[in-house]
Amino acid sequence: QQQVRQSPQSLTVWEGETAILNCSYEDSTFDYFPWYWQFPRESPALLIAIRPVSNKKEDGRFTIFFNKREKKLSLHITDSQPGDSATYFCAASDPGTQVVGQLTFGRGTRLQVYA
Amino acid sequence: EAAVTQSPRSKVAVTGGKVTLSCHQTNNHDYMYWYRQDTGHGLRLIHYSYVADSTEKGDIPDGYKASRPSQENFSLILELASLSQTAVYFCASSDRGSSGNTLYFGEGSRLIVV
């Protein structure tokens, strides 16, 4: 059973549009939600992260919206650029593991931004 | 300069053969991890280590062994490679601490088992 689900599997937007990537999770004890992005033939890298004490985290054009009650979060990319084309992974961490690397990753959303 | 380096970057192995993937980090991090990436499956944790000479099982350890001979080095060993182990393998490191620290990934090792 998937602990972290992402949708859609792939998404195409035009340059300048807002891309919305969705994520939901099962375990209510998860307390840290990073998003990693991965460009083709490269390794994943941290993009932005949020903790449940906040319902919003913003970093430039990237914003996470968090709904603890519904166990959902979304990543909004405003003014999308072709350089944002990548696969985006939502992940979650359980404080009980005490090991930060024991993140549970979703299967990713592949974003394509056309000029 | 890359702080987490993996070797080999690409390998073709024969079914039943032994494969060793190596990882070296210069981040001075205590924690190191091996993840496996398959198309459509995201990243799954195989083994991890938080101190030299000790390793722990992750979510999918079957068919894999790990070795951490020093803080800087972490190896993943496939004693009897199987077709199902064809994948891209990522090593990562993180600083010691509570949940919330960043994972730093290596460049990946593409393994094809034939």
Side-chain angles (χ1 to χ4, degrees), chain B residues 2-3 6 13 25 27 41 62-63 66 74 81 83 94 96 101:
Chain B
Q6 298 180 222
Q25 57 107 352
N27 291 325
H41 283 276
D62 293 345
F74 192 36
L83 296 174
S94 70
R96 186 170 188 168
N101 282 332

Side-chain angles (χ1 to χ4, degrees), chain B:
Chain B
E1 187 174 336
V4 181
T5 55
Q6 298 180 222
S7 63
R9 295 291 307 279
S10 180
K11 183 176 180 63
V12 178
V14 177
T15 302
K18 182 177 181 179
V19 176
T20 299
L21 304 178
S22 300
C23 179
H24 179 79
Q25 57 107 352
T26 58
N27 291 325
N28 198 34
H29 287 165
D30 287 328
Y31 290 82
M32 296 187 74
Y33 316 85
W34 276 106
Y35 279 90
R36 167 178 175 155
Q37 184 173 43
D38 300 273
T39 302
H41 283 276
L43 292 151
R44 292 181 289 176
L45 182 64
I46 306 170
H47 285 288
Y48 65 95
S49 168
Y50 52 85
V51 68
D53 296 322
S54 178
T55 64
E56 305 292 335
K57 294 181 180 179
D59 297 323
I60 54 165
D62 293 345
Y64 303 93
K65 290 172 56 178
S67 173
R68 182 92 181 270
S70 64
Q71 186 197 36
E72 298 80 15
N73 296 294
F74 192 36
S75 297
L76 185 68
I77 303 147
L78 290 67
E79 295 279 5
L80 296 169
S82 67
L83 296 174
S84 64
Q85 293 176 312
T86 292
V88 178
Y89 292 85
F90 285 99
C91 177
S93 74
S94 70
D95 195 8
R96 186 170 188 168
S98 61
S99 172
N101 282 332
T102 302
L103 288 175
Y104 295 90
F105 287 89
E107 319 96 313
S109 296
R110 183 175 299 274
L111 174 65
I112 299 174
V113 182
V114 298

Side-chain angles (χ1 to χ4, degrees), chain A residues 58-103:
Chain A
E58 196 169 350
D59 185 357
R61 296 183 295 106
F62 300 89
T63 303
I64 300 174
F65 293 94
F66 184 80
N67 185 323
K68 185 175 183 178
R69 182 179 61 83
E70 295 186 7
K71 293 190 283 188
K72 292 181 178 179
L73 55 160
S74 60
L75 175 67
H76 291 226
I77 307 172
T78 57
D79 189 24
S80 296
Q81 302 297 308
D84 298 332
S85 298
T87 299
Y88 292 77
F89 293 100
C90 175
S93 177
D94 182 345
T97 66
Q98 294 299 309
V99 178
V100 67
Q102 284 187 316
L103 289 171

